[in-house]
Amino acid sequence: MILIYEGSHFRDPKERKKIESLFKDQKIRWISESMLDHTIDELLKAPDDQVTESPVQNAVASSLSKKVYPNKKHGNPALIYVTDMHRERLEKIPDLLDKNGFDDLFIAVQTPANQSWTLKELLDEMKKEQAYFDKRKVLESLIQAANPERMKTEPKYAEAVMTCWNMLRQPEFPERLLDMAIEMLDAANRDI
């Protein structure tokens, strides 16, 4: 089964049909904003008629959710939550979605831990993870922008660049240290 939290992304029926065609061999359950406080497990186990809602309920929930996630490109981020899918197919989902113009949504896979989370908690966690990886990309771009001549002539500059590069080689690094590294390298790159 695939849960699709519509966010602001899938309000258009054409967009819904397009995403449904990508997963036509899977059971899809559409989840709306009024379900933010339900656990993933509840959403997976509920009968279909208990997770659907009237257009009035959806409109009210939509106006409230704009306050919850105001900064995404489409307003409220959409989420595709996948259960029971072979790894090979699962790994192809991001490219499949990108090729079809769905580049501003979250993808989550069912785990024993996240089944007990509410939909809002899962979305919040996905936002935190995305912010962390965005910061890693910023640090990577700052390293790529490093001045090779300064690295040869300024040992402190070279040490700062290498320290940041070593940080990126780690699979995880505390976010506050990542913030400090970005600030330090950004300042060093501007300081000529």
Side-chain angles (χ1 to χ4, degrees), residues 50-179:
Q50 289 184 5
V51 292
T52 58
E53 60 187 19
S54 74
V56 172
Q57 288 172 309
N58 197 20
V60 170
S62 174
S63 67
L64 292 174
S65 71
K66 288 177 184 163
K67 296 175 185 169
V68 178
Y69 299 106
N71 297 322
K72 288 295 278 184
K73 177 174 149 186
H74 291 93
N76 200 8
L79 168 77
I80 294 179
Y81 184 88
V82 182
T83 68
D84 301 325
M85 188 178 285
H86 292 288
R87 181 183 172 127
E88 298 82 32
R89 182 161 183 214
L90 194 57
E91 290 173 351
K92 294 177 184 177
I93 288 177
D95 288 337
L96 177 69
L97 293 170
D98 282 346
K99 283 184 208 173
N100 286 280
F102 298 111
D103 60 349
D104 189 34
L105 49 84
F106 294 128
I107 303 167
V109 178
Q110 181 180 24
T111 67
N114 70 22
Q115 282 183 256
S116 64
W117 296 356
T118 65
L119 181 58
K120 184 179 181 320
E121 289 170 334
L122 180 60
L123 285 166
D124 287 344
E125 184 62 27
M126 299 294 291
K127 282 179 63 175
K128 286 179 193 172
E129 287 178 14
Q130 183 64 48
Y132 177 81
F133 286 109
D134 286 348
K135 287 179 183 182
R136 287 181 69 99
K137 288 177 188 175
V138 167
L139 185 58
E140 184 178 338
S141 69
L142 289 170
I143 292 168
Q144 290 173 350
N147 183 321
E149 291 304 313
R150 283 185 68 198
M151 288 186 66
K152 291 177 189 173
T153 59
E154 299 176 37
K156 287 187 177 190
Y157 178 74
E159 183 181 348
V161 172
M162 293 307 296
T163 298
C164 293
W165 181 77
N166 281 323
M167 284 175 62
L168 282 183
R169 292 183 57 208
Q170 306 302 315
E172 287 188 42
F173 209 82
E175 191 168 1
R176 68 178 175 74
L177 294 178
L178 191 56
D179 290 336

Side-chain angles (χ1 to χ4, degrees), residues 11-25:
R11 298 264 163 68
D12 181 350
K14 291 177 188 173
E15 293 293 298
R16 280 183 176 236
K17 291 218 181 290
K18 188 175 175 183
I19 197 82
E20 286 173 349
S21 71
L22 299 177
F23 299 106
K24 58 185 166 223
D25 61 330

